[in-house]
Amino acid sequence: MVNTFYHSTRSCAQTVTSKQAILQGLAPDGGLYVSDELGKNKISLSVMVAGTYHENAKKVLGALLTDYTEEELSQCVENAYGKKFDTAAVTPVTELGADWLLELFHGPTCAFKDVALQMLPQLMSVAREGDGRNVMIVTATSGDTGKAALEGFADVPGCGVTVFYPDGKVSDIQYLQMVCQKGANVCVSGIRGTFDDAQTGVKRIFSDTSLKERLAKKNIVLSSANSINVGRLVPQVTYYFDAYAQLVRRGALKEGDAIDFCVPTGNFGDVLAGWFAKQLGLPVRHLIVASNTNKVLTDFIETGTYDRRRDFVKTISPSMDILVSSNLERLLYYLSDGDCDYIASLMNDLNEKGLYTVKPEILARIQETFRAGFATDAETRATIKSTYEKDQVLIDTHTAVAKCVLDRIPKDGTERVCLSTASPYKFCSDVLQALGEPTEGMNDFACMDALEAATHTVAPVQLSSLRFSEKLHTGVCDIEGMGAVVEDASLKIFARS
């Protein structure tokens, strides 16, 4: 086993262990932590095919986070997945017409973020044991990460969590999931702006040396639960391997056969986890990046130019309403053969000019594995309707983006898996409307009831019970005030500990 060490995408000057990288979240220079040992620890397909989800998770985590002991990882996996998911399979694969659906919504918040954000607090808790400082998690969310982070970190000893969401730009259900969150160590605030503004604000907080020094005097360190944290990204690699293993066991694949995955994504972390799986030995042929009308990733993969200078569009797939896809930086680091200076220059151009263009040879490398497409809201609604009518499968507005993009690509014999990232009941108003049912004048809970009646399905109790929950966090701040919110929350939370 090759030991893994991490450093910034923008500088190789300082290396840290995976525990240190997880605690820090973002590198001091604003870069993302990467390991040059990625791919040196291959994972046996035979072992994965024979394993349970829990066993496979330990194998993946062990290959990428080598300073965690086997005993530590076993405890992390049991704590994360032992009782929190409504199926022993954790992420089951089901039929979707001629393709397959990877269901990632069986966790406590009914979204794919649970797979990573039930694990990250466990990894961070173990890392903190050798560190001793209190950790304030600071996270920006476009809807799903926030609740999953709150749920994962609520009342975890030695940890606090502050979540920022774009006020008025998340679904009613997503909003209630966050503002009704209980826990003595949680803080939730809306911001006046978009998710990209929230994400930029969080990055500024991490680069605010004065704030970090003040908190350090109180024995508090900042970290992140966004997919900029490698401890958030690594757990997602597991479900790519496990999906493949499920299909081999069902006889849909023979061990070693190629496979394609279609992933609805805005911040690029979910699909990057599939690329990590490929580096670890999973025979992935294509990773299909599915975007909504905010199609900055589609344009980049097709042209090599990343240009965030465009109007932000509010869509019915709000978790993908993103114009700055942070995790793309990690892929560019690897495909530039670890050229930190080049990556730093690209990110500087993005920050100062709003765009960058990669070298032709890097674009060619990207296009060897990645395909891309996008779907409008009208196409997304049509896909929800047709999928339910033809396949009797109810999907949410993000999954429908991926299925719409996948359906445009002729099938050539390679098995294809569409990632389903959320329960349709998280976006019940838009799903109900897509099915042709009336929604005018109805709130999300009336739509939830109507969707149950129209489809003879049942809303997850963790969503339906929100109608009776009390709003506990109703604050909204400007982007410039985000740092003050974090500092105030940190001092209050850890004064109690």
Side-chain angles (χ1 to χ4, degrees):
M1 179 72 72
V2 177
N3 288 328
T4 55
F5 293 91
Y6 288 81
H7 63 78
S8 171
T9 47
R10 304 178 192 181
S11 171
C12 299
Q14 181 183 8
T15 60
V16 297
T17 66
S18 60
K19 288 181 178 178
Q20 292 170 326
I22 287 170
L23 278 179
Q24 293 182 32
L26 191 69
D29 61 3
L32 278 61
Y33 280 115
V34 289
S35 172
D36 292 332
E37 287 78 38
L38 176 65
K40 293 181 181 178
N41 295 327
K42 300 294 185 183
I43 294 177
S44 165
L45 289 181
S46 298
V47 169
M48 300 301 270
V49 169
T52 65
Y53 193 93
H54 292 60
E55 291 166 341
N56 290 341
K58 284 185 282 187
K59 291 292 183 183
V60 169
L61 295 170
L64 294 168
L65 309 175
T66 55
D67 56 322
Y68 284 80
T69 67
E70 187 173 341
E71 292 75 17
E72 287 172 338
L73 292 179
S74 293
Q75 191 60 54
C76 287
V77 169
E78 180 57 32
N79 290 344
Y81 304 135
K83 300 177 182 178
K84 300 292 184 68
F85 288 72
D86 62 21
T87 170
V90 182
T91 60
V93 175
T94 57
E95 293 185 13
L96 183 65
D99 295 309
W100 301 95
L101 192 71
L102 176 55
E103 297 181 355
L104 302 175
F105 50 78
H106 290 276
T109 77
C110 304
F112 82 100
K113 309 292 177 70
D114 288 326
V115 178
L117 284 169
Q118 286 297 310
M119 177 58 69
L120 179 60
Q122 308 305 322
L123 295 172
M124 196 166 283
S125 181
V126 170
R128 182 183 167 275
E129 289 175 4
D131 183 275
R133 292 176 292 177
N134 293 314
V135 181
M136 172 53 80
I137 306 299
V138 184
T139 291
T141 184
S142 55
D144 285 338
T145 290
K147 171 59 179 177
L150 292 164
E151 185 73 23
F153 281 97
D155 294 324
V156 171
C159 292
V161 56
T162 302
V163 168
F164 294 101
Y165 66 92
D167 187 42
K169 297 181 178 66
V170 298
S171 78
D172 291 347
I173 294 293
Q174 289 174 317
Y175 169 75
L176 288 171
Q177 282 189 302
M178 289 185 282
V179 302
C180 297
Q181 176 68 47
K182 295 179 180 180
N185 65 337
V186 303
C187 173
V188 181
S189 177
I191 66 121
R192 299 179 183 96
T194 66
F195 167 75
D196 289 323
D197 294 324
Q199 186 165 249
T200 298
V202 166
K203 288 182 178 180
R204 288 176 182 169
I205 288 169
F206 280 106
S207 62
D208 186 339
T209 55
S210 177
L211 171 61
K212 289 194 288 188
E213 288 171 359
R214 292 195 301 274
L215 292 177
K217 291 178 181 178
K218 302 291 185 179
N219 200 38
I220 301 168
V221 63
L222 298 177
S223 191
S224 175
N226 282 103
S227 55
I228 57 176
N229 191 318
V230 72
R232 164 70 190 280
L233 178 66
V234 167
Q236 295 174 277
V237 177
T238 300
Y239 51 70
Y240 285 93
F241 273 101
D242 194 73
Y244 189 92
Q246 290 183 56
L247 292 177
V248 171
R249 291 196 296 265
R250 295 175 74 143
L253 287 173
K254 293 179 181 178
E255 192 176 307
D257 284 350
I259 191 169
D260 293 343
F261 291 93
C262 186
V263 188
T265 189
N267 212 19
F268 205 75
D270 200 9
V271 72
L272 182 65
W275 189 82
F276 271 42
K278 182 181 174 95
Q279 307 316 301
L280 294 175
L282 190 67
V284 175
R285 183 182 65 163
H286 293 144
L287 292 164
I288 304 161
V289 176
S291 303
N292 60 21
T293 304
N294 295 293
K295 59 185 184 73
V296 63
L297 283 171
T298 301
D299 292 344
F300 171 71
I301 291 169
E302 291 178 347
T303 68
T305 295
Y306 194 102
D307 190 348
R308 64 174 173 83
R309 303 172 305 168
R310 61 184 73 201
D311 292 335
F312 174 88
V313 181
K314 184 179 178 181
T315 74
I316 62 172
S317 46
S319 297
M320 298 159 62
D321 288 346
I322 297 170
L323 295 180
V324 180
S325 303
S326 292
N327 263 288
L328 185 59
E329 182 173 344
R330 281 190 169 105
L331 179 70
L332 295 177
Y333 170 82
Y334 286 115
L335 297 187
S336 67
D337 296 322
D339 189 338
C340 291
D341 291 338
Y342 179 63
I343 299 305
S345 71
L346 291 181
M347 296 306 112
N348 186 63
D349 284 347
L350 183 64
N351 183 52
E352 294 187 357
K353 303 175 184 177
L355 82 166
Y356 61 77
T357 300
V358 298
K359 299 173 183 176
E361 57 268 29
I362 293 178
L363 178 59
R365 289 183 179 183
I366 291 169
Q367 292 176 342
E368 287 175 3
T369 299
F370 291 91
R371 301 288 185 270
F374 76 98
T376 64
D377 277 356
E379 291 169 327
T380 301
R381 291 188 182 98
T383 301
I384 292 171
K385 184 176 177 64
S386 64
T387 301
Y388 181 70
E389 290 178 346
K390 294 178 182 177
D391 304 317
Q392 289 74 57
V393 177
L394 192 64
I395 57 176
D396 85 293
T397 52
H398 303 76
T399 307
V401 169
K403 188 173 188 304
C404 179
V405 171
L406 186 61
D407 285 346
R408 295 189 197 128
I409 302 172
K411 189 163 184 180
D412 60 6
T414 299
E415 293 298 332
R416 312 187 306 180
V417 177
C418 180
L419 272 63
S420 184
T421 52
S423 164
Y425 280 96
K426 292 201 78 165
F427 309 93
C428 47
S429 176
D430 289 309
V431 172
L432 185 64
Q433 187 179 56
L435 296 178
E437 300 289 335
T439 60
E440 187 174 354
M442 298 167 61
N443 65 23
D444 262 13
F445 295 108
C447 291
M448 184 179 291
D449 295 339
L451 186 59
E452 287 182 317
T455 62
H456 306 290
T457 57
V458 178
V461 66
Q462 55 266 53
L463 300 182
S464 59
S465 62
L466 286 170
R467 73 181 80 200
F468 308 114
S469 299
E470 177 187 2
K471 295 179 184 178
L472 303 174
H473 313 274
T474 56
V476 180
C477 69
D478 293 320
I479 299 165
E480 293 75 16
M482 291 170 62
V485 170
V486 170
E487 185 168 14
D488 184 57
S490 299
L491 297 178
K492 287 181 179 177
I493 288 168
F494 295 116
R496 306 186 191 112
S497 61

